[in-house]
């Protein structure tokens, strides 16, 4: 299902400042990554959640998912802490360095 996201759901995300959303699958584990370009993430997420097509999409896709969030946290997605990032603006010397 996640390989063919509905265009109206994609539009809701784009209209609410979600960019470069990628979903990966490893065995039965989904991992998602996106970049947020707005200035009020909670408000944009609320607008996405209020979108009728997105709500219908979630009705179909939610049963395919199991939350890894801390029980009682009120969150569906489990946040991950970034531990490393390769910046495309690093200097040539830093990028070619061997540990």
């Amino acid at each position: 299902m996640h390989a063919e996201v509905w265009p109206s759901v994609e539009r809701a995300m784009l209209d609410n400042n979600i960019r470069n959303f990628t979903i990966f699958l490893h065995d039965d584990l989904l991992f998602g990554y996106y970049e947020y370009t707005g200035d009020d993430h909670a408000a944009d997420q609320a607008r996405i959640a209020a979108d009728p097509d997105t709500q219908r999409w979630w009705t179909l896709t939610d049963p395919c998912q199991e939350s890894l969030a801390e029980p009682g946290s009120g969150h569906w997605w489990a946040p991950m802490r970034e531990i490393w990032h390769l910046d495309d603006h690093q200097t040539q010397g830093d990028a070619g360095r061997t540990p």
Side-chain angles (χ1 to χ4, degrees):
M1 291 179 122
H2 285 87
E4 296 181 26
V5 177
W6 298 345
S8 57
V9 172
E10 292 175 338
R11 175 56 37 210
M13 288 187 279
L14 289 169
D15 288 349
N16 287 284
N17 302 303
I18 302 296
R19 300 293 183 272
N20 296 317
F21 197 141
T22 304
I23 298 174
F24 302 89
L25 178 63
H26 177 72
D27 294 328
D28 64 349
L29 182 66
L30 285 175
F31 168 80
Y33 165 87
Y34 66 83
E35 297 171 8
Y36 178 70
T37 60
D39 56 12
D40 190 342
H41 187 258
D44 283 333
Q45 289 295 306
R47 279 189 288 277
I48 292 170
D51 176 67
D53 283 345
T54 299
Q55 291 174 4
R56 284 192 293 277
W57 175 254
W58 288 345
T59 299
L60 295 173
T61 58
D62 280 0
C64 303
Q65 302 172 39
E66 180 181 333
S67 177
L68 298 177
E70 184 71 29
S73 69
H75 297 287
W76 179 256
W77 300 108
M80 296 171 59
R81 185 173 51 90
E82 181 178 307
I83 60 169
W84 183 79
H85 174 81
L86 176 63
D87 186 340
D88 61 346
H89 299 290
Q90 287 181 305
T91 64
Q92 182 72 21
D94 288 344
R97 177 178 65 195
T98 4

